[in-house]
Amino acid sequence: MERVDTTALREHYERDGFYIHAAPVLPPGLLEQAARGVDEVRDGAYDTGEAPNERLWNPGDDPHALCKIEQPQLANHALREALCSPLLGQLAGAVTGARMVQVWWVQLLYKPGTPDAVSTGVATNVGWHQDRAYWHYWDEDSAVFTAWLALSDVTPDAGPMVFVPGSHRWGLLEGSDFFGQDPDAVREAISIPEGEAWCEAPVVLPPGGVSFHHRLLFHGSYRNVSNGPRRSLAIHLRTEESRVRPDSWVARYLDRPEICPIIFAG
Ligand SMILES: O=C(O)CCC(=O)C(=O)O
């Protein structure tokens, strides 16, 4: 396994609110199976016999629209295996300095290539948001964060995630809008603190590359204008410094290690 310079990673993550590991964390065979797994789950084929938690796109819906599926690893063996990549766990431990890191939720995000979007009229942006704005079921200071795993080549024209470096230090602000399709309007509704600047850093990744981002970091993504789909998993993680509300819908999966594996134990 690759050696990880934990100090440098952590400094980078704490300073910018994210860290990008632009080299595959999965071996080629598993990468190929996981990419196929994304397509199968999107098509409604579940090799585990279990359905995902929720799907916001179904076969027969507009093929140009963003496809978001909750807990896809319930439905696919290769996606379960991908979550357990030892390097993914090691990096997650390194960026946070945690003793333990566990997967608590996964979102499949399939953003079709729409080079001709003017004629299709479909918007597939992900609006600017802070993840924490949606995560009320975790106690206030819980150390929850995200690893975003690319399962296709996320080139600059493929609608990569875009981070706003340093915005994790602005606190939790009003205005997050994951489904907002007008990036300028969403940004204008956010009160950027005095003396801070809004800068955008696209996260270009090869297949198998991964980025980690802080729960308060503003991020979103523009349209995929390439010719192929952008396949990814947003893998939501927690450290030992987190407490979930026991009655929440998230808590019910935490005791299933094949769905919410512990990927790092330092
Ligand atoms: O895939 C995207 O463009 C956005 C994903 C996201 O919001 C996240 O991983 O927190």
Side-chain angles (χ1 to χ4, degrees):
M1 192 191 303
E2 202 175 298
R3 261 182 67 84
V4 172
D5 176 354
T6 53
T7 312
L9 260 68
R10 197 160 172 210
E11 277 172 12
H12 191 300
Y13 181 78
E14 283 177 2
R15 186 189 65 227
D16 295 336
F18 64 87
Y19 178 76
I20 297 168
H21 183 83
V25 297
L26 302 181
L30 179 54
L31 189 49
E32 209 175 289
Q33 287 167 17
R36 203 176 318 126
V38 164
D39 291 357
E40 287 172 5
V41 173
R42 180 173 180 266
D43 291 345
Y46 306 147
D47 70 11
T48 60
E50 200 173 347
N53 170 270
E54 189 185 13
R55 39 188 314 150
L56 297 186
W57 184 95
N58 287 290
D61 288 350
D62 188 333
H64 303 292
L66 179 73
C67 168
K68 181 165 174 283
I69 297 179
E70 308 292 329
Q71 297 285 62
Q73 78 278 30
L74 287 163
N76 187 273
H77 286 294
L79 297 185
R80 291 183 188 186
E81 198 178 333
L83 300 179
C84 296
S85 146
L87 183 53
L88 178 70
Q90 203 185 345
L91 291 165
V95 291
T96 53
R99 290 199 305 277
M100 187 285 297
V101 178
Q102 182 182 21
V103 174
W104 60 269
W105 200 263
V106 180
Q107 290 175 325
L108 177 161
L109 290 151
Y110 180 107
K111 190 186 279 217
T114 54
D116 197 17
V118 176
S119 60
T120 66
V122 176
T124 58
N125 293 338
V126 172
W128 302 115
H129 66 282
Q130 295 172 301
D131 292 334
R132 177 69 226 194
Y134 296 97
W135 292 352
H136 304 296
Y137 30 80
W138 290 97
D139 276 2
E140 175 112 10
D141 293 325
S142 285
V144 279
F145 64 111
T146 297
W148 194 94
L149 178 63
L151 291 173
S152 58
D153 200 4
V154 183
T155 50
D157 60 350
M161 253 207 308
V162 178
F163 291 150
V164 179
S167 55
H168 64 306
R169 286 187 252 101
W170 299 353
L172 183 61
L173 302 180
E174 294 292 318
S176 282
D177 187 1
F178 185 97
F179 293 102
Q181 291 301 315
D182 180 343
D184 293 340
V186 177
R187 194 197 57 235
E188 278 158 22
I190 297 165
S191 299
I192 301 168
E194 191 81 30
E196 300 288 353
W198 184 277
C199 301
E200 298 184 9
V203 188
V204 173
L205 289 170
V210 66
S211 63
F212 295 87
H213 64 267
H214 190 277
R215 61 191 174 280
L216 290 175
L217 188 80
F218 272 103
H219 59 286
S221 62
Y222 295 96
R223 233 176 53 215
N224 174 3
V225 292
S226 76
N227 284 312
R230 192 205 75 172
R231 298 181 182 86
S232 60
L233 296 179
I235 306 169
H236 301 311
L237 302 167
R238 74 176 195 100
T239 78
E240 72 281 3
E241 303 283 336
S242 60
R243 275 180 320 281
V244 73
R245 287 218 317 261
D247 56 342
S248 67
W249 44 269
V250 160
R252 80 180 119 124
Y253 294 105
L254 291 177
D255 293 334
R256 286 185 62 181
E258 78 284 16
I259 303 305
C260 291
I262 291 179
I263 61 168
F264 179 75

